[in-house]
Amino acid sequence: QRGYSRDQRPDCKQVCIGLVVTTDGIPLGYEVFAGNTSDSRTVETIVQAMEAKYGRANRIWVMDRGMVSKANLKFLRERGGSYIVGTPKALLRQFEKHLTEADWTEVQAGVEVKLVAGPEGTETFILARSADRREKEKAIHQRFLDRMEAKLAKLQGAAESGRLRDPAVAHQRLGRLKERYWRAASAFEVTITPIPQPTGKARLAITWKRIPRWADWTALSEGCYLLRTNLTATDPETLWKQYIQLV
């Protein structure tokens, strides 16, 4: 069963493929699964189907962050399964101090990784940073910043001309801007202030400023991503290479 593309390509209907490979990436077999369900709900189906066909060997399950949930990781652990999975970008903030430290291992040109022990001792987190990815994310962030600022200036102009007087409407428009330019939404502190007028109809003052803390964190985290694994006795280069077979 085909489903919608997660890559903003409605013209390309997708299916899910479970792929069995060696540790060197040589394909051994595959199964095709329905693409019309959310990724996180397909994990149990995929695991059970793959194990039924290929056995419960000493396998490592590698999944991107779209397929990961607490329930899925619990399911794998209870079966004695090993995994290397992606994590949400927001989780990076918990590892901020590790991003500034120097103990990184270069795994290929422009890519560095490091291991950080998980708080409960059952998992290891893999911090990774890529120079190419950093440049790409930097350009994306700048584009969102420029567009957000241009729209804020337009909103400010509407308030100054008197075309926009209702604070509720102004907040609605601001909310839509933040939703549309979500990558830069936290970069600005916006103030909408009603100003009484002699005519009795209040006008609005809309001002904004950049938030330095957002810029500092963005510059630090650009190009970085986070993986997690319950394989605790493996070097960072091997873990990263096993995960990167996904792409």
Side-chain angles (χ1 to χ4, degrees):
Q1 178 65 54
R2 296 178 184 270
Y4 72 92
S5 169
R6 271 70 161 178
D7 298 314
Q8 287 76 53
R9 288 293 304 274
D11 58 314
C12 298
K13 302 299 183 182
Q14 76 168 22
V15 294
C16 293
I17 296 178
L19 182 65
V20 182
V21 300
T22 67
T23 54
D24 296 317
I26 299 173
L28 300 176
Y30 71 93
E31 288 292 312
V32 180
F33 300 91
N36 63 338
T37 55
S38 65
D39 289 342
S40 63
R41 295 181 180 178
T42 63
V43 171
E44 289 192 25
T45 301
I46 290 175
V47 169
Q48 291 167 352
M50 300 299 275
E51 287 184 347
K53 186 169 185 178
Y54 300 101
R56 294 185 65 175
N58 187 23
R59 185 173 293 115
I60 300 171
W61 296 97
V62 183
M63 301 178 289
D64 64 24
R65 62 188 180 187
M67 301 190 74
V68 177
S69 68
K70 289 183 179 180
N72 287 336
L73 296 184
K74 182 174 182 288
F75 168 76
L76 291 174
R77 285 193 295 266
E78 288 177 345
R79 299 172 68 82
S82 301
Y83 57 81
I84 308 171
V85 300
T87 68
K89 181 88 171 181
L91 199 60
L92 261 178
R93 283 197 175 272
Q94 298 180 22
F95 298 84
E96 183 171 356
K97 76 180 187 69
H98 297 287
L99 292 176
T100 63
E101 295 170 350
D103 52 336
W104 293 81
T105 299
E106 187 175 57
V107 293
Q108 70 176 43
V111 180
E112 297 176 307
V113 299
K114 68 189 302 186
L115 300 183
V116 180
E120 298 178 0
T122 58
E123 287 186 315
T124 298
F125 287 84
I126 307 150
L127 279 171
R129 62 186 182 189
S130 161
D132 289 342
R133 185 168 178 159
R134 181 184 302 116
E135 291 305 310
K136 179 180 178 180
E137 290 185 3
K138 184 177 180 180
I140 291 172
H141 285 140
Q142 190 58 54
R143 185 165 67 250
F144 272 72
L145 283 169
D146 292 343
R147 291 177 180 176
M148 181 76 175
E149 198 157 33
K151 294 296 184 180
L152 286 174
K154 188 175 181 179
L155 196 66
Q156 183 184 52
E160 289 176 348
S161 68
R163 291 181 286 114
L164 178 60
R165 295 177 178 271
D166 189 335
V169 174
H171 281 288
Q172 286 177 350
R173 292 185 183 179
L174 177 61
R176 287 197 294 268
L177 288 181
K178 288 183 175 182
E179 183 178 356
R180 183 174 183 181
Y181 303 110
W182 57 273
R183 286 181 181 267
S186 300
F188 298 91
E189 181 180 306
V190 183
T191 303
I192 300 174
T193 307
I195 302 175
Q197 298 294 309
T199 60
K201 288 187 176 181
R203 299 185 71 169
L204 296 179
I206 299 178
T207 59
W208 73 88
K209 61 181 180 181
R210 296 278 187 96
I211 300 175
R213 173 63 179 154
W214 182 91
D216 294 341
W217 166 249
T218 301
L220 178 64
S221 63
E222 282 171 339
C224 299
Y225 53 97
L226 185 66
L227 314 174
R228 66 197 295 177
T229 181
N230 62 348
L231 295 167
T232 56
T234 308
D235 64 275
E237 182 175 1
T238 298
L239 291 170
W240 180 82
K241 285 184 176 179
Q242 289 174 337
Y243 179 81
I244 211 67
Q245 290 184 31
L246 275 177
V247 295

